[in-house]
Amino acid sequence: MFRKLTDRVLVAPQISLDQIAEAKALGVTVIINNRPDDEEPGQLNGAEVEAAAKEAGIAYVAVPVAHGGFAPWQLDGMAAALEQAGDGKVLAYCRSGTRSTLLWSLTRARAGDNADVLAAQAAAAGYDITPVRQIMDALAGQ
């Protein structure tokens, strides 16, 4: 269920509490929740994931992304969470993993990573970053 973007970054659809132990076993040190609470009925609340992550010794960061797009504070939050992981791994999740992947790609493009490489990494994990490619190119040019 976890998809590998890089050796340090995994993405996933909505995780369950049982998957936190799996993430820990894989070396995940930070879980990033990119899903707003109450996005759909029956969705696991972020506070529940946070409590279980902390109990497992995993840091938890919420950087919710609604369907309206991405804001600079979200890129800042994702960048800080990626940095917080240090040499550990990050698991970012949302409803399908797409918003997490798009936010990761925007954040990394802003940091100067090659957009073509980011696109290939996302594609290898089964995600298409075409919807944000022009923004990535603009961020890389800053």
Side-chain angles (χ1 to χ4, degrees), residues 8-26:
R8 292 190 47 246
V9 180
L10 306 169
V11 293
Q14 174 71 54
I15 63 172
S16 67
L17 295 179
D18 294 339
Q19 290 175 305
I20 292 172
E22 180 184 345
K24 176 77 172 181
L26 292 172

Side-chain angles (χ1 to χ4, degrees), residues 43-130:
Q43 167 188 334
L44 186 61
N45 187 287
E48 294 173 270
V49 175
E50 180 178 18
K54 288 184 176 181
E55 185 176 312
I58 300 173
Y60 171 90
V61 177
V63 184
V65 177
H67 291 286
F70 302 92
W73 70 267
Q74 292 163 320
L75 275 71
D76 295 342
M78 183 66 124
L82 292 169
E83 188 174 312
Q84 179 181 348
D87 292 333
K89 293 183 181 178
V90 169
L91 170 61
Y93 75 90
C94 58
R95 188 187 62 76
S96 67
T98 300
R99 282 175 281 172
S100 294
T101 300
L102 296 178
L103 182 57
W104 165 81
S105 65
L106 289 167
T107 300
R108 294 311 312 152
R110 186 179 72 171
D113 289 3
N114 182 288
D116 291 331
V117 171
L118 294 169
Q121 289 170 312
Y127 294 103
D128 178 12
I129 62 167
T130 302

